[in-house]
């Protein structure tokens, strides 16, 4: 069996793998469970291994993970202890762990300069200029992630209390949020005290839904979120000097553009490929022979 390359896109709910042959062509794919190396590194290792094995089987090959060089895009890659623990136990011939944002960038813009904004429950922005990567924001919900789903949901709860206290007008969005909590603001406070970013983010679809209906509060929240995203996109566009592709990725990417400034709406383009394809490309670039890496 010849050498193979594996790309891994590992997230909190699932792990995807793609297998490429010696020419860098994807020949098989696999999927398994959660692969969060911070919360449960041993389960993450199992699911990484399972996804890679399934990719071999999908290609009609007997799994031989030790023959493959791998690039893994994983959340939490900036926590050294977790990375060291996982990397020492990976079954591949050779491997490197990068952030899930880096593989998303590679998939979206290929080898050229450009930038991406990933807007989901959290946010992060990555630019590549003259071969150097630059990361902007992405410091977490407590101090960053402006414009994210978690932030929008948080603002929706805040708006509902402002409306309850008659500081802001009561709109249909605030009525709907309050109704979820039995119209009792103390229930909102109790929820918010223990809520994680994803818990706040579950209220975000209502913000977009009511904004489409013309709800004043929902539109105000989205304009605030879009203004924050505009500033971050300005930052990465400044790094790239406005050149190259600019892609918006993540769960909120299809919903936000109409609220963004025209300077960004006009530049946004569809990604070339997904993050998993980016992981495979990086595995080939990093570990392949020179004639394949070109």
């Amino acid at each position: 069996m010849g050498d193979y390359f594996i790309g891994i896109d590992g997230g909190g709910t699932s792990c995807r793998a793609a297998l490429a042959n010696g020419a860098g062509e994807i020949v098989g794919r696999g999927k398994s469970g959660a692969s969060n190396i911070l919360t449960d590194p041993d389960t993450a290792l199992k699911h990484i291994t399972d996804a890679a094995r399934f990719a071999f089987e999908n290609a009609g090959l007997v799994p031989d993970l030790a023959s493959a060089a791998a690039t893994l895009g994983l959340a939490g890659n900036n926590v050294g202890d977790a990375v060291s623990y996982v990397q020492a136990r990976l079954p591949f011939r050779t491997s490197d762990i990068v952030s899930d944002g880096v593989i998303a960038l590679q998939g979206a813009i290929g080898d050229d300069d450009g930038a991406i904004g990933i807007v989901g429950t959290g946010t992060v922005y990555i630019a590549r200029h003259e071969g150097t990567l630059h990361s902007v924001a992405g410091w977490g919900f407590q101090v960053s992630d402006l414009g994210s789903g978690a932030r929008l949901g948080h603002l929706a709860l805040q708006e509902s209390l402002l409306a309850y206290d008659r500081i802001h007008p009561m709109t249909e969005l605030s009525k709907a949020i309050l109704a979820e909590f039995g119209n009792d603001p103390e229930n909102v406070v109790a929820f918010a005290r223990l809520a994680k970013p994803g818990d706040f983010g579950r209220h975000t679809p209502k913000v977009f839904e009511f904004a489409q209906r013309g709800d004043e509060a929902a539109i105000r929240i989205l304009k605030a979120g879009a203004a924050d995203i505009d500033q971050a996109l300005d930052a990465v566009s400044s790094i790239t000097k406005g050149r190259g592709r600019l892609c918006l990725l993540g769960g909120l990417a299809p919903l936000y553009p109409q609220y963004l400034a025209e300077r960004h709406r006009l530049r946004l383009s569809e990604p070339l490929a997904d993050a998993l394809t980016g992981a495979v490309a990086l595995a080939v670039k990093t570990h392949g022979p020179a004639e394949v890496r070109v």
Side-chain angles (χ1 to χ4, degrees):
M1 180 177 289
D3 289 342
Y4 287 92
F5 305 101
I6 286 183
I8 298 285
D9 180 12
T13 58
S14 66
C15 179
R16 299 187 301 148
L19 176 71
N21 61 22
E25 302 163 335
I26 293 177
V27 295
R29 297 175 183 269
K31 185 177 180 180
S32 61
S35 53
N36 189 318
I37 66 173
L38 294 181
T39 59
D40 194 345
D42 290 315
T43 297
L45 279 163
K46 178 183 183 304
H47 288 157
I48 288 167
T49 301
D50 286 346
R53 181 166 49 82
F54 295 152
F56 268 95
E57 293 173 350
N58 180 248
L61 299 169
V62 175
D64 181 10
L65 275 57
S67 71
T71 290
L72 299 86
L74 305 174
N77 79 298
N78 57 342
V79 180
D81 290 346
V83 170
S84 297
Y85 180 88
V86 169
Q87 187 140 24
R89 292 163 176 78
L90 290 171
F92 309 112
R93 172 170 55 84
T94 183
S95 60
D96 58 307
I97 296 175
V98 300
S99 78
D100 47 357
V102 168
I103 64 171
L105 176 76
Q106 182 68 34
I109 70 172
D111 293 332
D112 296 330
D113 284 355
I116 62 169
I118 305 176
V119 186
T121 302
T123 58
V124 67
Y125 305 82
I126 304 175
R128 184 196 290 135
H129 178 61
E130 296 181 350
T132 301
L133 296 182
H134 306 264
S135 181
V136 172
W139 301 111
F141 173 75
Q142 287 77 9
V143 292
S144 185
D145 285 355
L146 301 182
S148 68
R151 285 284 186 173
L152 295 180
H154 182 272
L155 286 173
L157 295 184
Q158 177 180 293
E159 184 66 32
S160 73
L161 295 184
L162 289 168
Y164 180 89
D165 289 329
R166 300 183 182 180
I167 297 171
H168 285 181
M170 180 68 73
T171 72
E172 293 304 311
L173 171 65
S174 294
K175 287 180 184 177
I177 295 292
L178 286 168
E180 287 190 33
F181 294 93
N183 294 306
D184 187 341
E186 292 188 4
N187 290 339
V188 178
V189 174
F191 166 83
R193 188 171 65 86
L194 299 176
K196 293 180 170 58
D199 299 323
F200 287 116
R202 283 198 286 273
H203 297 279
T204 298
K206 276 191 171 59
V207 179
F208 284 95
E209 174 190 342
F210 280 90
Q212 289 298 313
R213 301 181 191 177
D215 186 275
E216 176 186 334
I219 291 172
R220 185 165 60 247
I221 290 169
L222 288 183
K223 284 184 175 179
D228 290 326
I229 292 174
D230 280 332
Q231 289 183 333
L233 292 177
D234 283 338
V236 290
S237 294
S238 175
I239 291 169
T240 63
K241 304 187 186 304
R243 294 194 287 269
R245 302 176 75 88
L246 179 65
C247 301
L248 206 59
L249 312 174
L252 299 185
L255 303 176
Y256 249 131
Q258 64 180 301
Y259 299 99
L260 297 179
E262 185 178 27
R263 64 185 180 277
H264 296 133
R265 287 201 310 271
L266 294 176
R267 278 202 63 209
L268 288 176
S269 59
E270 290 296 316
L272 297 173
D274 65 4
L276 183 57
T277 302
V280 173
L282 287 176
V284 173
K285 283 168 61 69
T286 303
H287 304 292
E291 63 272 15
V292 176
R293 280 185 258 147
V294 174

